[in-house]
């Protein structure tokens, strides 16, 4: 799935390593709160992919998701790999699978 392959730091202004969005967000959701955000989402009928998408979108990934969802072909955004501010770039083709999973999750919310 494209969401699992999205590396939001693949094209930053300098080499910063990778950040695979799905696994990063899923790991954070798994250990956020008690019960965890992942457990709450699953109990509400969301898949782990949908929980990861919602968690990421609400904790900062909106900076690159929203412009693409509004129709841009690519987006430049600030992020903080290893605590250092960097400019990064993603294309619509890269972000669209994330938007599709996020949209699926949002349709399931009450």
């Amino acid at each position: 799935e494209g969401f699992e392959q999205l590396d939001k730091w693949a094209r930053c202004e300098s080499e910063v390593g990778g950040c695979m969005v799905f696994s990063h967000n899923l790991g954070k959701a798994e250990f956020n709160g008690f019960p965890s955000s992942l457990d709450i989402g699953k109990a509400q009928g969301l898949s782990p992919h949908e929980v990861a998408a919602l968690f990421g979108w609400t904790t900062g990934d909106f900076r690159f998701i929203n412009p693409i969802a509004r129709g841009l072909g690519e987006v430049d955004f600030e992020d903080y790999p290893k605590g250092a501010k960097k400019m990064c770039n993603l294309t619509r083709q890269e972000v669209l699978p994330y938007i599709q999973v996020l949209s699926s999750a949002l349709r399931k919310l009450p």
Side-chain angles (χ1 to χ4, degrees):
E1 182 173 324
F3 180 41
E4 293 177 357
Q5 304 305 316
L6 177 58
D7 178 357
K8 71 177 178 177
W9 295 343
R11 283 190 318 284
C12 292
E13 61 187 298
S14 62
E15 176 61 36
V16 295
C19 181
M20 304 307 286
V21 173
F22 167 69
S23 59
H24 176 79
N25 291 341
L26 185 64
K28 291 183 92 167
E30 186 175 8
F31 297 104
N32 180 62
F34 186 77
S36 73
S37 297
L38 178 60
D39 290 337
I40 292 169
K42 287 168 56 176
Q44 296 299 314
L46 299 176
S47 72
H49 284 78
E50 292 167 332
V51 172
L54 281 170
F55 191 89
W57 181 55
T58 59
T59 59
D61 290 349
F62 58 85
R63 292 185 315 267
F64 63 84
I65 292 173
N66 291 3
I68 296 293
R70 291 181 186 124
L72 285 183
E74 67 179 85
V75 63
D76 295 318
F77 63 99
E78 291 179 349
D79 212 2
Y80 295 84
K82 301 175 185 154
K85 181 175 158 182
K86 301 288 181 186
M87 288 301 296
C88 303
N89 174 278
L90 290 171
T91 66
R92 180 174 186 77
Q93 182 178 351
E94 292 169 318
V95 179
L96 198 53
Y98 192 160
I99 292 170
Q100 291 167 337
V101 174
L102 176 60
S103 294
S104 173
L106 290 169
R107 284 191 297 273
K108 291 180 180 179
L109 295 179

